[in-house]
Amino acid sequence: MDNPVKVATQKKATSRFYGWLNERTGVRSLMRASLDEPVPGGARLAYVFGSGLLFIFISQVITGLCLALYYVPSVESAHTSVAYITKEVAAGQFLRSLHYYGSSAMIVVLLLHFLQTFIYGSFKGRRELLWISGAFLSLLVLGMGFTGYLLPWDQTAYFATAVGTNIVGEVPFIGQWLTEMLRGGDTLGTLTLSRFYFAHVFLIPGMIFLFIGTHIALFRKAGAAGPINEDPIHPTLPPESFYPRQVIMDMAFALLLMIGLGFLAYFHPVQLGPLADPSDPKFVPRPEWYYLPMFEWLKFWSSRMEVFAVIFVPAILALLFFLMPFLDRNLERRPWRRPIPLLAVATVLVGMIFLGFKSHLDDLRDHNVAEQLAYQEKQAEDYTRAPFVPSMESSNGQPLASGPVNPMVAKGRAVFLAEGCSGCHGQMGTGTALAPSLVGITGKFSLPQLTELVHHPNAKMLAGHMPSFNLATPQMTSLYSYLGSLGTNAASAPVATSIATPDAAPAEGTVPDAEATTSVPAPATGASGKSSAAAAAGEQIFQTHACAACHGPAGAGTARIPPLAGLIAKKSDADLTKLVQAPDAAMKAGGMPPLVATPEEVSSVVAYLRTLSAGSVKKLEKPQGAGPAQLPQSEPAPANTSNGSASKPKAAAAAAPANAVAGASTESAPAKVPPAAASNPTAPGRAIFVANGCFACHGRDAQGTHFAPSLIDITRKYPPTQLAYLLRHPRKAMTAGGMPTVTVDDAQLKQLVAYLSSLGSAPSPEPVAATHTTQPQSGPAAAVASGSAATAVEAPKALKPVPLSAEAVRGKAIFQHNRCETCHGVDGLNGTVAAPGLAGMASVLPASVLDNLLQHHSTQMKNGNMPPTNMNASTRKAVVAYIRSMPTPPDAK
């Protein structure tokens, strides 16, 4: 038991300190003014929402400050820092979840506070400014939610913010300026992150503190309104002090909020999705639940009425919200005596709830959207569960290896990319909507089991269009090593630069023939034996921009394009930089799009191209009975006596392809067929196969890809006569998979069938010489030989250029910046195998129809994997102007 004298002494000391503090600060009068506030009619549970809002805001400030200790607002580090918080910081995921759910709780409590104030009529009786200050606080709370959503810089954050800033761009006259001010430019990037971070952490919280102080001061000035039957100006009910009953109720409500938020944060922590990938064409953006009504509301309006839907209707509702005390001026507070205001608010509230639920139901009813959303959720879960691995990122946001590179992993990654596995499973094997993630697959299957599955896919894999791959044992071993590294930083190792193709594997007991091996150049290395960081970054860009589709893995060349090493040997770095960013006429004619990138990224690409050695020139296999293998060129290639490596092809008009990264001649030259090709009876059919773009889906050697099956031994299933009929009359299942009707004459069809019949039994086909043309074309104009004669495949007709307006010039820049040429061809004129040309098709549509199609893709566009455009009205207008300015072919209908 405590000594009474000691207790009395302690109380006296406390009282003395309190008195000393009160003399200097007036704390006693401040506490009395805060706790002794009179509440007419006594304490009520209906009054707890205002205090609950203040508690949540303080909680958000505290958790936000803790998160800010680790967060870095830049494109290179934002996602990594959030991943570090989520996966490494003690209770970091719980803290971030508290902050995330706190923002939603703030919206809910804010809505309850508004409804209680409106139904009770607490805004009446000289409380107009009190209501207006609360309305401003509501907008600031919504602004906090919008600005904070982008900060994790994952897929969901990026695309949702892109849609939100595009909506802002619909504001008349100043929309474009507002969008650029929010983004810090035309696109989302580091400037956008820094601006949103500043607004979320400093600007908006400072304004909220200011308006909270104003709101409380105005509330104390006007006094509590009391229950609905109380006079708002001259209260008559006996008052009760705010302390203790109302304080206890407010604290109990705050405790319930704390328990609820803690329960959600602990048992259902918020996920973090993969790093934002602006080029992902399949991602389906969805905003937070409190912005879903607005998202759904925009679907009801055409592009012509979009300004009305985005600006005028919300502006009118916001104005009515602010002017509520001036519109409902009667001192009558009972809701049943105020039917018109009550009905108006109920209509808006029910409409918002309806729109939110309709958006959710629409997603569930659309099978494709529901499947994609479920995949995105699964992808976020997988990424969140994966261990945190520190990573460096290049200037284009791609991860780079930060430690020693495992040669087996590097070779395995090369196999993974070369075989087209990334097309379905993603660049880093994390999965896409087409195929699942491969992270952790080596923990489920041993090397022999996985080899069997790759060679002979099971029924489920076949149902998902998984092709079979006949990989040699060394390739399969390295691929298994790479798959085992997925989910770690080792998976971002630079691609190996020497891959033996399966058909080049030596038979057992034989010595490999050096002349029959297809080699890929090795990057130049320094004393340390490692590639430079710039070259590694350039290699990443080379892969992500699908340059290998035309130039081959590591620029080793394809059937229609010689290796890059020989083509760029005499080009300076300045010339290469210029050609990469602004291809010349010959390169454009072959489908080479300009590289839209930062100067640092372009320098990285040039650095990578410099690592390609002259040994990358493919040495052709020597068929039996043929002379020495030759490169398709008009003049003999001079030998390189300086290093003894393979000969470099001369950059002449007949040697370089139309889209080679070199300054080839723009004048047409007669195509010459190599002697090896002339001796091969299937060469003409091979040329037709290439010229008609069949290789884009079925593979360079018809070995099959994830787009289309293998054609090896196709005549075992379909005899030549039946195969010829199918090529001209594809079945429904074939056309559904994108198979077009083959439109060639009878002689060419016979040659094509002969080539397809030879697959699986004849030696590897020879490359086909390509003719040159100065006009854009969607496929290579290949020369086909039949005995001593050559038949040229007809190229698309020339289109006369049309002078562009200033708006169309801007639209063309946007068209190129968004890499639309990748599918629609150079300048979007003639198209590619992936998408049609726009000249004479989309260009003849009315501007309003084009604008609507850019916002709401047709079924055909969706089936063709047309990505979401995410453009505001001004940007769409410029793109439409460019498309409509395209020249119309003479035979266009």
Side-chain angles (χ1 to χ4, degrees):
M1 187 174 181
D2 294 335
N3 188 339
V5 177
K6 184 178 179 180
V7 172
T9 304
Q10 289 176 348
K11 288 183 177 180
K12 186 176 181 180
T14 302
S15 177
R16 187 180 302 167
F17 173 77
Y18 187 74
W20 177 88
L21 186 64
N22 179 59
E23 289 176 355
R24 288 157 178 78
T25 62
V27 65
R28 182 176 288 117
S29 60
L30 181 64
M31 293 297 295
R32 186 180 297 112
S34 301
L35 300 177
D36 295 345
E37 173 197 359
V39 181
R44 295 277 199 289
L45 285 174
Y47 304 157
V48 301
F49 300 116
S51 300
L53 273 174
L54 183 60
F55 165 77
I56 297 175
F57 176 67
I58 294 174
S59 172
Q60 290 295 93
V61 170
I62 295 173
T63 54
L65 288 174
C66 294
L67 295 174
L69 293 175
Y70 300 94
Y71 183 76
V72 181
S74 71
V75 169
E76 291 78 14
S77 305
H79 187 264
T80 304
S81 61
V82 176
Y84 180 75
I85 294 171
T86 304
K87 302 178 182 183
E88 292 295 312
V89 175
Q93 188 176 36
F94 179 79
L95 195 68
R96 179 170 173 256
S97 300
L98 275 180
H99 193 75
Y100 175 83
Y101 289 120
S103 62
S104 294
M106 202 165 186
I107 300 293
V108 173
V109 177
L110 178 65
L111 180 61
L112 293 175
H113 185 52
F114 159 72
L115 289 176
Q116 182 271 323
T117 304
F118 172 77
I119 293 174
Y120 273 57
S122 301
F123 57 87
K124 296 175 178 289
R126 303 170 185 171
R127 291 178 175 84
E128 298 90 349
L129 293 179
L130 177 62
W131 174 270
I132 291 175
S133 65
F136 271 113
L137 279 170
S138 302
L139 296 183
L140 291 174
V141 169
L142 290 175
M144 284 288 286
F146 179 69
T147 54
Y149 203 63
L150 176 67
L151 301 186
W153 199 251
D154 58 1
Q155 290 278 71
T156 303
Y158 179 90
F159 283 101
T161 306
V163 173
T165 51
N166 285 336
I167 292 175
V168 175
E170 302 297 335
V171 178
F173 307 114
I174 62 171
Q176 181 69 20
W177 176 81
L178 285 175
T179 301
E180 292 182 356
M181 184 191 69
L182 286 173
R183 294 181 173 182
D186 293 330
T187 58
L188 273 65
T190 296
L191 285 178
T192 316
L193 264 178
S194 62
R195 293 184 181 206
F196 274 53
Y197 180 75
F198 170 76
H200 188 74
V201 176
F202 299 103
L203 182 62
I204 299 180
M207 296 177 66
I208 289 179
F209 274 116
L210 176 63
F211 275 94
I212 285 177
T214 304
H215 195 68
I216 293 176
L218 291 172
F219 177 76
R220 290 306 176 91
K221 175 65 177 176
I228 58 176
N229 56 350
E230 178 64 286
D231 188 302
I233 299 178
H234 304 290
T236 58
L237 295 175
E240 180 183 354
S241 176
F242 179 72
Y243 177 83
R245 289 186 65 225
Q246 191 62 51
V247 171
I248 294 175
M249 290 181 183
D250 289 352
M251 292 179 64
F253 181 64
L255 181 62
L256 288 176
L257 288 173
M258 188 184 303
I259 293 173
L261 293 175
F263 183 88
L264 283 173
Y266 185 80
F267 291 101
H268 195 268
V270 63
Q271 307 292 337
L272 176 65
L275 178 67
D277 180 11
S279 64
D280 187 349
K282 294 183 176 295
F283 193 87
V284 178
R286 287 295 180 267
E288 272 294 273
W289 63 269
Y290 42 84
Y291 283 118
L292 269 182
M294 185 64 177
F295 176 79
E296 183 67 21
W297 168 255
L298 296 178
K299 296 180 183 178
F300 290 91
W301 303 87
S302 64
S303 58
R304 187 173 299 177
M305 299 295 293
E306 193 173 60
V307 174
F308 178 79
V310 173
I311 305 302
F312 290 104
V313 173
I316 291 172
L317 291 178
L319 185 62
L320 293 176
F321 179 54
F322 274 82
L323 297 180
M324 183 72 71
F326 302 97
L327 299 175
D328 189 8
R329 300 179 62 183
N330 194 330
L331 294 182
E332 176 60 58
R333 297 176 56 191
R334 288 169 291 186
W336 52 88
R337 296 291 184 89
R338 300 183 290 132
I340 295 178
L342 192 68
L343 182 62
V345 171
T347 301
V348 173
L349 187 62
V350 171
M352 293 176 65
I353 295 174
F354 167 76
L355 290 173
F357 273 103
K358 186 178 185 304
S359 178
H360 181 65
L361 290 176
D362 288 347
D363 288 342
L364 293 178
R365 290 169 183 166
D366 191 323
H367 176 72
N368 293 332
V369 172
E371 189 177 65
Q372 177 64 22
L373 290 174
Y375 161 71
Q376 290 170 192
E377 180 68 22
K378 180 66 166 56
Q379 194 177 35
E381 291 178 5
D382 292 343
Y383 183 85
T384 304
R385 291 174 182 172
F388 174 77
V389 179
S391 63
M392 298 187 302
E393 293 175 351
S394 66
S395 56
N396 67 338
Q398 295 296 323
L400 299 175
S402 58
V405 176
N406 185 336
M408 290 297 291
V409 172
K411 291 180 181 179
R413 188 178 183 205
V415 174
F416 185 83
L417 295 175
E419 297 296 337
C421 309
S422 60
C424 291
H425 294 285
Q427 284 289 330
M428 303 299 294
T430 53
T432 66
L434 299 175
S437 169
L438 298 177
V439 177
I441 192 170
T442 54
K444 300 178 182 178
F445 301 101
S446 62
L447 176 57
Q449 291 173 326
L450 196 59
T451 302
E452 177 64 22
L453 283 175
V454 169
H455 290 177
H456 305 94
N458 58 31
K460 185 177 180 181
M461 297 162 68
L462 291 173
H465 307 290
M466 167 74 178
S468 61
F469 294 93
N470 187 22
L471 300 180
T473 301
Q475 289 179 299
M476 195 62 222
T477 303
S478 59
L479 178 62
Y480 190 81
S481 299
Y482 172 67
L483 295 178
S485 72
L486 295 179
T488 69
N489 196 44
S492 55
V495 179
T497 53
S498 180
I499 311 170
T501 57
D503 54 357
E508 186 176 355
T510 63
V511 180
D513 184 2
E515 295 296 321
T517 303
T518 301
S519 62
V520 182
T525 55
S528 62
K530 298 179 181 179
S531 302
S532 68
E539 185 177 19
Q540 292 285 344
I541 299 172
F542 188 87
Q543 295 294 340
T544 56
H545 282 69
C547 306
C550 293
H551 293 289
T558 61
R560 62 189 182 96
I561 302 179
L564 279 171
L567 296 175
I568 66 174
K570 297 182 180 180
K571 300 291 180 183
S572 65
D573 287 354
D575 291 339
L576 274 180
T577 301
K578 182 179 179 180
L579 285 172
V580 167
Q581 293 180 299
D584 60 24
M587 296 161 65
K588 286 185 177 180
M592 172 75 178
L595 175 63
V596 181
T598 64
E600 292 79 9
E601 291 173 330
V602 175
S603 298
S604 298
V605 172
V606 172
Y608 170 63
L609 294 178
R610 288 303 181 197
T611 67
L612 306 179
S613 67
S616 64
V617 178
K618 289 190 174 185
K619 300 179 178 69
L620 307 178
E621 289 187 18
K622 184 171 64 175
Q624 292 180 355
Q630 299 178 14
L631 288 171
Q633 56 189 24
S634 58
E635 299 179 17
N640 187 343
T641 59
S642 60
N643 56 7
S645 60
S647 301
K648 296 181 181 180
K650 186 175 182 179
N659 61 342
V661 189
S665 172
T666 60
E667 299 180 359
S668 300
K672 293 189 177 182
V673 182
S679 65
N680 190 344
T682 64
R686 163 75 176 171
I688 298 170
F689 180 84
V690 173
N692 283 271
C694 309
F695 70 94
C697 291
H698 291 285
R700 184 173 64 88
D701 295 324
Q703 76 276 14
T705 68
H706 60 277
F707 293 115
S710 170
L711 299 179
I712 307 299
D713 291 332
I714 186 68
T715 50
R716 290 186 180 181
K717 187 175 183 180
Y718 302 106
T721 304
Q722 187 177 358
L723 182 60
Y725 179 83
L726 279 176
L727 291 175
R728 284 186 170 172
H729 306 87
R731 294 200 308 260
K732 185 176 181 181
M734 298 165 65
T735 56
M739 171 71 182
T741 302
V742 177
T743 55
V744 295
D745 58 35
D746 292 341
Q748 291 176 324
L749 181 64
K750 185 177 180 181
Q751 293 168 339
L752 178 60
V753 171
Y755 166 66
L756 296 177
S757 301
S758 70
L759 296 176
S761 58
S764 299
E766 299 297 334
V768 182
T771 61
H772 269 292
T773 176
T774 59
Q775 304 301 335
Q777 53 186 354
S778 61
V784 293
S786 177
S788 61
T791 304
V793 179
E794 184 180 357
K797 294 181 179 180
L799 298 178
K800 186 177 180 180
V802 177
L804 300 180
S805 64
E807 188 76 9
V809 169
R810 177 170 169 260
K812 182 178 181 180
I814 297 170
F815 188 87
Q816 294 175 341
H817 178 77
N818 285 275
R819 297 197 292 185
C820 306
E821 293 178 315
T822 303
C823 292
H824 292 288
V826 176
D827 295 336
L829 298 177
N830 293 309
T832 67
V833 294
L838 303 177
M841 295 182 64
S843 62
V844 301
L845 296 175
S848 59
V849 175
L850 271 176
D851 186 75
N852 188 58
L853 284 173
L854 286 175
Q855 297 178 79
H856 314 291
H857 299 339
S858 65
T859 303
Q860 187 177 4
M861 294 164 70
K862 292 178 181 177
N863 293 338
N865 292 327
M866 172 73 176
T869 48
N870 290 331
M871 298 178 183
N872 57 35
S874 175
T875 304
R876 290 198 310 272
K877 183 180 178 182
V879 173
V880 168
Y882 171 62
I883 295 175
R884 286 176 54 79
S885 69
M886 292 180 178
T888 302
D891 56 349
K893 297 181 181 179

